[in-house]
Amino acid sequence: MDSNELNRSTPFTTTFNFRDVGGYRGQDDRTVRTGRLYRSDSLHRIGDADRDAFAALGVRTVIDLRRPHEVERDGRVPDFDGLTYRHIHPEHAQWEEQPYQPGGDLARYLADRYADLARTGTAGLAEAIGLIAEGANSPVVVHCVAGKDRTGIVCGLTLAVLGVDDTEIAADYSLSTGASERFSAWVAATFPDSAPLPPPFLSSPAEAMLLFLAEIREGHGSVDDYLRRAGVTGEQLAALRTHLLD
């Protein structure tokens, strides 16, 4: 099945950016396995209506990339039998320190924020990708708040290691724009007095991910080399390809 034909819509009612990262063509014409790695916005909203659907996935590990205060504010994924929860915070600056200027190049702004995280959050990124590399941890769900930025970086780097083409990685990343629109509509209906979210929190232009990956390679030679410098071992990189590629 072509990756574009996969059903990547969320199965949940109040989780808006949950999808399988599998199905893309990777290294040596192999396919990224489905049912092994998922990406999502925050899982704290999984309630009674969604528990059975989540349990049916058999998720073993949730990697939560949010800041500590975001976890404290919203809570974490509910407890499920056999589920291991790992909170990993890749260190990065608050976006408010360099706010987006309306009318500016949004893709460039986002790529710069991602480059900042890749520079300062190496330990957290390496830990997250190391967990994904361990087959016994799968199925794994990686999430942050919106499931597009921190989650997009971890999943983008992982797919790059698996040999997925940058255009496919960027297309997967850009699916978060539609999810953000659904989330924004839900917020407006549920909390009518809330202020609308600014563009950087709602948009995931493919160009942002293309810029990020290209500049990682310009700075480090390859994604593999960047991850090795961050602390991912050669054995972990090989394990990613072993258990995530058919």
Side-chain angles (χ1 to χ4, degrees):
M1 178 182 291
D2 186 273
S3 61
N4 293 322
E5 296 175 4
L6 290 170
N7 180 7
R8 298 192 186 277
S9 60
T10 178
F12 307 121
T13 56
T14 55
T15 302
F16 303 94
N17 202 11
F18 188 102
R19 60 185 181 273
D20 198 320
V21 179
Y24 296 106
R25 182 174 297 174
Q27 187 179 74
D28 299 327
D29 212 28
R30 298 160 71 190
T31 301
V32 180
R33 289 175 176 164
T34 58
R36 294 290 185 96
L37 177 61
Y38 300 95
R39 57 181 296 169
S40 184
D41 50 332
S42 182
L43 296 175
H44 74 277
R45 290 187 300 273
I46 289 181
D48 292 342
D50 292 328
R51 286 189 68 92
D52 288 347
F54 187 86
L57 298 173
V59 173
R60 292 182 180 176
T61 309
V62 167
I63 300 174
D64 183 345
L65 301 173
R66 293 175 296 166
R67 296 178 185 274
H69 78 84
E70 292 169 335
V71 178
E72 183 177 353
R73 178 191 67 201
D74 295 330
R76 42 155 286 183
V77 63
D79 289 326
F80 287 86
D81 290 342
L83 178 67
T84 297
Y85 171 80
R86 297 291 294 269
H87 178 228
I88 299 172
H89 171 219
E91 296 286 344
H92 58 291
Q94 295 279 2
W95 286 14
E96 292 82 357
E97 295 177 16
Q98 296 192 48
Y100 172 69
Q101 301 302 317
D105 185 337
L106 182 57
R108 180 71 267 168
Y109 175 82
L110 289 169
D112 288 344
R113 303 288 74 70
Y114 301 165
D116 287 344
L117 189 149
R119 184 166 52 251
T120 62
T122 51
L125 293 176
E127 184 179 358
I129 289 174
L131 287 171
I132 295 168
E134 176 54 60
N137 292 331
S138 66
V140 176
V141 182
V142 181
H143 81 86
C144 50
V145 174
K148 76 180 192 74
D149 301 311
R150 290 162 284 192
T151 300
I153 290 170
V154 168
C155 290
L157 292 172
T158 299
L159 289 173
V161 169
L162 299 177
V164 177
D165 187 81
D166 283 4
T167 57
E168 292 269 59
I169 298 172
D172 179 83
Y173 162 82
S174 70
L175 292 174
S176 292
T177 296
S180 295
E181 292 169 354
R182 294 190 294 273
F183 173 69
S184 184
W186 176 81
V187 169
T190 309
F191 307 103
D193 295 331
S194 61
L197 294 170
F201 293 90
L202 294 174
S203 298
S204 304
E207 181 65 17
M209 182 56 63
L210 292 172
L211 285 168
F212 169 69
L213 292 172
E215 290 166 3
I216 283 286
R217 294 189 183 97
E218 288 171 9
H220 300 274
S222 70
V223 171
D224 280 24
D225 287 341
Y226 164 75
L227 290 173
R228 287 190 186 95
R229 294 187 182 104
V232 179
T233 67
E235 289 78 11
Q236 287 172 325
L237 292 171
L240 279 172
R241 298 182 179 108
T242 297
H243 89 87
L244 285 179
L245 288 171
D246 282 332

